[in-house]
């Protein structure tokens, strides 16, 4: 029997292939490969590229500690990426062939993110944190006293980001040939994930308020910066995509703060919004604020849109009709995927991949053959020496609801033995557990604990009615759901 997974092993020996992006011709994938050094205790990432079938992996970047955000140009001949090989953060462009040096486009004193090529391949939109009190990111002289902090707003700090004061993420556009750049947005709110309109004249981005609890869709003129806000300030926009003709934007939003999104279509010329769905039973994957970007949808043609969602703790691909709102599930996995990248022909869907027994890999779904292939195996050898736990999925019927639960068992589980059991309760309360790799659960389960985790009422990925069951009853019926799952395991 193999060795258990320790915190040390989970931190220093797990390699993560993340943010995969498929080339326009569907032949290659660029991604960031992250590792953590045991001696320095620092995480580093470099860009790699490999064939769509996983063949011929090749390292693209070698300098700097953090390289990521790799994005193919529309013609597939260049890859733009972000690197700290220059002070703080810079944007570089690298020929996608076997040779050639990376060329610096621009740099900032704050981390850069969310690169997006213009349709004609001449410009890049991106985001960077801008402090209106120090827009040039000037460093304090050595020995100088810290700047005085004067707080004027209630959202002066944020989870995962720390102290912000008035600094917020803004959208820039840079010319790839000359490096000339312009700041497009200035309003004192975070602007995230800019996407170009097909004609290259506008950007669609998310504008967040109240520490990310609310967000609108912003349609921004690249030339003037003039902005049209879609929806109300109390909405929660999660993901969006321009139609091929640029006349519409499909987006998912929670307009009533129910922790369940539905789909809408915005008519750009008319400035009107039409609701497509009412109570989706899956949760469109909008990422996690400041940690994971949304899985942006992809139009398959002028009517049908491919999107990634989580349903009952499992990832699925589905297609929504932008006219009727009809949703057709395409493929479901007992896994958790992240991101969504498709080639120009919309044949290949590339995502990050984890399962209860796998972590940090890349998966490709071929819509033509309906074949799923995990094209990397970075952590396979590790999980052979440190086997993941066995598991089973349970369903508890209670109070008119089917409650999903998962039980992890130590490798070599012996049903005649007694084991201590840990009940792991997710947060939110509208979070969810499922078929993903959770390091804490893995550590406990491979060290001779039974680990039970549950999606009680109130959990996401089961539709609006289920999510709303904890409103004015948090710690009531959901607690009893948890205890019913415990009783099932004890029985």
């Amino acid at each position: 029997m193999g060795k258990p997974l320790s915190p040390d092993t989970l931190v220093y020996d797990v390699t993560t292939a993340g943010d995969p992006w498929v080339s326009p011709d569907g032949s290659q994938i660029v991604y960031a490969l992250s590792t953590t050094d045991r001696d320095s205790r620092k995480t580093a990432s470099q860009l790699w590229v490999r064939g769509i079938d996983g063949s011929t992996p090749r390292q693209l970047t070698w300098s700097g500690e953090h390289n990521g955000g790799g994005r193919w140009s529309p013609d597939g001949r260049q890859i733009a990426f972000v690197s700290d090989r220059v002070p703080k953060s810079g944007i570089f462009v690298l020929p996608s062939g076997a040779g050639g040096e990376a060329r610096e486009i621009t740099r900032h004193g704050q981390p850069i993110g969310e690169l997006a090529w213009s349709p004609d391949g001449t410009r890049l939109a991106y985001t960077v944190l801008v402090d209106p009190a120090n827009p040039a990111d000037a460093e304090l002289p050595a020995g100088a006293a810290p700047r005085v902090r004067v707080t004027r707003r209630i959202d002066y700090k944020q989870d995962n980001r720390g102290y912000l004061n008035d600094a917020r993420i803004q959208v820039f556009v840079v010319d790839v040939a000359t490096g000339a750049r312009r700041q497009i947005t200035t309003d004192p709110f975070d602007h995230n994930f800019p996407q170009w309109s097909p004609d290259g004249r506008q950007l669609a981005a998310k504008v967040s308020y109240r520490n990310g609890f609310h967000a609108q869709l912003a349609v921004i003129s690249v030339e003037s910066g003039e902005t049209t806000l879609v929806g109300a300030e109390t909405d929660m926009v999660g993901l969006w995509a321009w139609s091929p003709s640029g006349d519409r934007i499909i987006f998912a939003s929670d307009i009533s703060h129910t922790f369940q999104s539905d789909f809408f279509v915005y008519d750009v010329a008319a400035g009107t919004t039409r609701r497509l769905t009412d109570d989706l039973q899956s949760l469109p994957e909008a990422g996690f604020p400041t940690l994971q970007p949304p899985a942006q949808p992809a139009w398959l043609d002028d009517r049908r849109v491919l999107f990634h969602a989580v349903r009952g703790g499992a990832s699925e691909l589905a297609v929504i009709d932008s006219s009727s709102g009809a949703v057709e599930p395409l493929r479901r996995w007992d896994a958790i995927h992240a991101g969504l990248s498709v080639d120009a022909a919309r044949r290949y869907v590339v995502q990050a991949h984890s399962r209860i027994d796998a972590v940090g890999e890349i998966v490709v779904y071929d819509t033509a053959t309906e074949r799923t292939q995990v094209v990397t195996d970075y952590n396979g050898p590790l999980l052979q020496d440190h086997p993941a736990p066995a598991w089973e999925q349970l369903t508890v019927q209670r109070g008119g609801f089917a409650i999903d639960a998962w039980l992890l068992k130590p490798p070599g589980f012996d049903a005649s033995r007694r084991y201590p059991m840990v009940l792991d309760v997710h947060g939110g309360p509208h979070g969810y557990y499922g078929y993903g790799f959770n390091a804490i659960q893995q550590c406990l389960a491979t060290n001779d604990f039974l680990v039970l985790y549950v999606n009680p009422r109130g959990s996401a990925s089961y539709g609006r009615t289920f999510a709303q069951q904890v409103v004015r009853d948090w710690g009531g019926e959901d607690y009893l759901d948890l205890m019913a799952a415990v009783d099932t395991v004890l029985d």
Side-chain angles (χ1 to χ4, degrees), residues 114-189:
E114 303 164 14
L115 303 183
W117 285 90
S118 63
D120 63 3
T122 63
R123 294 166 292 173
L124 283 163
Y126 63 95
T127 61
V128 71
L129 188 71
V130 175
D131 185 352
N134 183 24
D137 297 318
E139 298 277 355
L140 285 171
R147 293 186 177 96
V148 175
R149 291 180 172 181
V150 180
T151 300
R152 302 176 180 85
R153 53 196 295 170
I154 197 168
D155 57 347
Y156 67 96
K157 61 181 178 179
Q158 191 175 125
D159 282 355
N160 309 314
R161 298 171 73 187
Y163 181 83
L164 294 171
N165 205 9
D166 293 322
R168 290 297 181 272
I169 295 170
Q170 303 293 349
V171 177
F172 285 71
V173 169
V174 63
D175 186 284
V176 174
T178 67
R181 75 186 190 207
R182 290 187 300 119
Q183 183 176 336
I184 303 299
T185 61
T186 57
D187 289 342
F189 307 104

Side-chain angles (χ1 to χ4, degrees), residues 207-229:
V207 183
S208 297
Y209 315 107
R210 301 175 182 88
N211 260 332
F213 281 100
H214 299 286
Q216 288 175 283
L217 184 66
V219 181
I220 308 158
S221 167
V222 176
E223 182 64 30
S224 67
E226 181 180 350
T227 299
T228 299
L229 295 172

Side-chain angles (χ1 to χ4, degrees), residues 336-417:
I336 293 293
H337 294 168
L340 179 70
S341 175
V342 297
D343 62 320
R346 296 332 196 223
R347 174 174 176 175
Y348 297 107
V349 180
V350 178
Q351 298 179 283
H353 170 83
S354 81
R355 300 188 309 269
I356 294 175
D357 59 353
V359 63
E361 309 294 358
I362 294 172
V363 67
V364 175
Y365 177 66
D366 186 336
T367 62
T369 64
E370 300 183 352
R371 180 187 179 213
T372 300
Q373 181 183 6
V374 179
V375 297
T376 59
D377 188 30
Y378 285 110
N379 296 299
L382 171 69
L383 293 175
Q384 284 186 347
D385 293 337
H386 304 263
W391 61 275
E392 62 179 288
Q393 195 268 331
L394 314 169
T395 300
V396 179
Q397 301 291 336
R398 189 184 165 276
F401 294 102
I403 307 301
D404 286 337
W406 291 260
L407 180 66
L408 305 187
K409 304 176 182 179
F413 173 75
D414 181 353
S416 66
R417 278 186 54 193

